[in-house]
Amino acid sequence: MTNFKSAAVAALLAVLVPASLTYAAGSGGHGGSHAHGAAADIGTPGGTPSRTVTISMYDNYYEPENISVAKGETVKFVVKNEGSFVHEFNIGTPESHAAHGPHMAMLFEMGMIEPDKINRAEMAATKGSDHDMSHDAPNSLLMNPGETQELVWTFNTDKELEFACNIPGHYDAGMYGALAIN
C-alpha cells in the first residue's frame, strides 16, 4: 500500500510542480491573490439553510458535479474529502478561480500545503502579516483527506458560478462543477 501511495504522490507531483510554476510565473507575486472567489459579489456566508447538499470530493472530481440553487436560497453544504489528497471546495466564478490559482500554488510551493496534508499552524502564523497565507475565506473550504466540513451560503447573485478545487493541477484535471442559479 505504501508503494502505491508513494507512486500516486510522485505522479501527482509530476502534474502539480509544472502547474504551480506556471501559476507563479503568471501571478506577479503574492499581491491581491486573496480573492478566494471575491465572496462579496457572489453571495453571503451564513443564514438559515433551506436545505442541505452533501458533496463528496474524490481525487479530481466531485459528486455531484452539478447543483442548482434558487436565487436568494441559503444552502448548507456538507463536504467530505474522500480522496487521498488535499482538496478545496471553493464557490466562485470561473474568473475568480483563475485568480485564486496563484495563491494556492504559492501555498503549495511554500510547503503550507502538501499533496496529502495541510500545515494549518504554519498558515495561521502568517495571518494578518504582509504575506498572509491563511486560507479562511467564507466561500472556501480547504480539507485534508478524510475530513468533513460544512459551509452555509446564500446565493444572491445572477453570476455564473461553479465550485472548484484550486490546488495546482486539480482544476485543470476537471475538478470543478456547475452551480446553476435558477
Side-chain angles (χ1 to χ4, degrees):
M1 188 72 151
T2 302
N3 289 338
F4 173 76
K5 187 174 182 181
S6 297
V9 169
L12 181 65
L13 286 173
V15 172
L16 293 181
V17 171
S20 67
L21 293 175
T22 301
Y23 280 134
S27 71
H30 186 247
S33 62
H34 280 117
H36 297 285
D41 67 346
I42 63 164
T44 55
T48 303
S50 61
R51 66 182 166 126
T52 298
V53 174
T54 301
I55 297 179
S56 294
M57 297 188 296
Y58 296 94
D59 290 330
N60 294 330
Y61 69 98
Y62 293 96
E63 282 186 7
E65 293 180 341
N66 300 295
I67 300 168
S68 293
V69 298
K71 185 173 181 179
E73 183 178 13
T74 301
V75 177
K76 177 169 84 170
F77 294 97
V78 176
V79 184
K80 177 150 187 175
N81 184 350
E82 302 273 7
S84 299
F85 301 111
V86 170
H87 290 298
E88 178 187 42
F89 176 79
N90 184 303
I91 299 170
T93 64
E95 297 80 15
S96 69
H97 291 298
H100 182 48
H103 175 72
M104 297 303 289
M106 191 169 289
L107 289 173
F108 191 86
E109 290 167 8
M110 295 178 75
M112 293 186 186
I113 298 174
E114 297 178 36
D116 61 350
K117 75 174 182 176
I118 303 163
N119 296 311
R120 293 192 193 279
E122 291 178 31
M123 291 172 70
T126 68
K127 183 135 178 99
S129 74
D130 288 342
H131 299 287
D132 187 338
M133 293 307 232
S134 59
H135 190 278
D136 59 358
N139 61 313
S140 186
L141 303 172
L142 184 60
M143 299 170 56
N144 282 308
E147 245 184 319
T148 298
Q149 295 184 32
E150 295 180 357
L151 186 149
V152 177
W153 197 257
T154 300
F155 293 90
N156 54 9
T157 185
D158 289 324
K159 291 186 178 217
E160 176 187 348
L161 298 180
E162 58 187 14
F163 51 97
C165 179
N166 294 292
I167 300 288
H170 293 202
Y171 187 97
D172 293 335
M175 194 166 182
Y176 56 88
L179 254 168
I181 310 290
N182 300 319

